[in-house]
């Protein structure tokens, strides 16, 4: 039983105020808007959307499509993150690498997603396009933030590391990583949204056999607006779940690095 003033009651109150109350508020607004429109093919309500989601979940290919999209986008994001970190290390370590590689990365950041999707359709199979697009959207964000984190490393700490004759590994662990980690965490949070939006958009255009984007396109063509809303809800839930999982992994990594 929760007592007044107990930590458990405070956490429960925080969840209600920060999560439950805003959710209920926007669900009510959504339902009122749907009732005002009065046509489910234009704007289905929350109940219709949940019903469509339950029905879609029982159809063949629902879970396969969901898993395939999750793996494509997560794989693309992981590859883009790794490439972004490596490019940041290269461009901050070598002026020549910075001169040669930075313009290309900025071009990637400035190029519209639709252009990349159409170009990649000429070069790779359509099942690979969403993952590649997700990686390309993530890469410039990771590169810019990690490079900034390296550049913002406290010179006094670096001078102290040299004075105490720290090896390269120890300098990286005790000086560079603490400086880079906040920038890296911020970049991952930003990149996650970009990866999901661009990856699903690529699926809508490419229409792989098993993909959430393909199901979204099918729902649009068949004028099944509740299904369109249901699949959109799946994308949002997956994005939030993956964002939470990555944030938790980063926190665990930070605690492990600091030690007991």
């Amino acid at each position: 039983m929760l007592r007044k003033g107990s930590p458990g009651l405070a956490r429960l109150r925080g969840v209600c105020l920060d999560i439950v109350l805003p959710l209920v508020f926007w669900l009510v607004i959504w339902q009122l808007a749907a009732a005002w429109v009065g046509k489910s093919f234009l704007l289905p309500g929350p109940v219709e959307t949940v019903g469509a989601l339950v029905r879609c979940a029982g159809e063949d290919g629902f879970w396969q499509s969901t898993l395939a999209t999750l793996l494509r986008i997560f794989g693309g994001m992981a590859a883009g993150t790794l490439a972004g970190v490596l490019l940041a290390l290269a461009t901050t370590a070598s002026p020549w690498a910075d001169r040669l590689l930075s313009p290309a990365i900025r071009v990637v950041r400035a190029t519209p997603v639709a252009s990349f999707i159409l170009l990649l359709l000429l070069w790779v199979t359509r099942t690979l396009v969403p993952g590649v697009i997700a990686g390309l959207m993530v890469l410039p964000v990771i590169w810019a933030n990690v490079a900034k984190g390296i550049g913002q490393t406290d010179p006094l700490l670096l001078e102290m590391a040299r004075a105490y004759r720290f090896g390269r590994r120890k300098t990286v662990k005790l000086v560079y990583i603490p400086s880079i980690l906040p920038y890296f965490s911020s970049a991952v949070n930003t990149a996650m949204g970009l990866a999901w939006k661009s990856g699903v958009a690529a699926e809508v255009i490419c229409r792989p056999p098993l993909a959430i984007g393909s199901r979204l396109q099918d729902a649009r063509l068949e004028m099944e607006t509740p299904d369109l809303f249901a699949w959109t809800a799946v994308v949002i839930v997956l994005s939030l779940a993956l964002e939470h999982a990555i944030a938790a992994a980063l926190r665990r990594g930070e605690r492990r690095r600091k030690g007991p």
Side-chain angles (χ1 to χ4, degrees):
M1 184 176 179
L2 297 176
R3 297 181 179 179
K4 186 176 180 180
S6 66
L9 184 59
R11 284 194 297 269
L12 180 60
R13 184 178 180 182
V15 169
C16 291
L17 290 177
D18 296 338
I19 299 177
V20 177
L21 183 60
L23 180 62
V24 171
F25 172 79
W26 287 110
L27 285 174
V28 170
I29 295 295
W30 180 8
Q31 181 60 52
L32 291 175
W36 181 75
V37 172
K39 297 178 180 178
S40 63
F41 73 90
L42 291 178
L43 181 61
V47 176
E48 290 176 284
T49 300
V50 171
L53 180 59
V54 172
R55 175 170 48 77
C56 290
E59 295 176 353
D60 294 337
F62 175 88
W63 297 106
Q64 294 91 328
S65 297
T66 301
L67 180 60
T69 293
L70 180 63
L71 292 177
R72 284 192 196 100
I73 295 178
F74 181 74
M77 184 177 176
T81 299
L82 178 61
V85 170
L86 294 177
L87 287 171
L89 294 176
T91 54
T92 53
S94 169
W96 278 105
D98 186 41
R99 292 189 186 98
L100 295 173
L101 298 176
S102 294
I105 301 172
R106 292 189 176 95
V107 167
V108 171
R109 182 167 54 191
T111 303
V113 178
S115 298
F116 271 128
I117 295 172
L118 296 176
L119 287 171
L120 286 170
L121 279 172
L122 301 174
W123 301 330
V124 299
T125 60
R126 58 179 178 166
T127 56
L128 295 178
V129 172
V132 176
I133 289 295
L136 285 173
M137 295 302 103
V138 165
L139 188 153
V141 178
I142 300 295
W143 166 75
N145 281 45
V146 172
K148 186 176 181 180
I150 294 173
Q152 293 294 323
T153 302
D154 192 340
L156 294 178
L157 292 177
L158 293 173
E159 185 64 30
M160 183 192 70
R162 285 191 291 269
Y164 283 94
R165 300 181 184 275
F166 282 6
R168 181 176 298 179
R169 183 175 180 181
K170 193 172 183 179
T171 301
V172 168
K173 180 180 179 181
L174 297 181
V175 180
Y176 279 109
I177 290 181
S179 174
I180 295 170
L181 198 57
Y183 294 92
F184 178 76
S185 299
S186 176
V188 169
N189 289 332
T190 303
M192 173 61 68
L194 290 174
W196 273 99
K197 291 176 183 178
S198 59
V200 173
E203 289 184 343
V204 169
I205 296 175
C206 302
R207 300 194 67 181
L210 293 174
I212 291 177
S214 300
R215 304 289 82 79
L216 285 168
Q217 184 70 295
D218 292 341
R220 185 191 70 84
L221 293 174
E222 296 168 7
M223 293 297 291
E224 292 288 348
T225 311
D227 289 10
L228 186 61
F229 272 64
W231 281 107
T232 302
V234 172
V235 174
I236 294 171
V237 170
L238 285 177
S239 178
L240 293 175
L242 193 54
E243 180 181 336
H244 178 76
I246 291 176
L250 289 172
R251 287 194 298 268
R252 284 196 300 270
E254 175 66 9
R255 288 196 297 267
R256 189 176 301 171
R257 187 188 63 81
K258 290 181 177 179

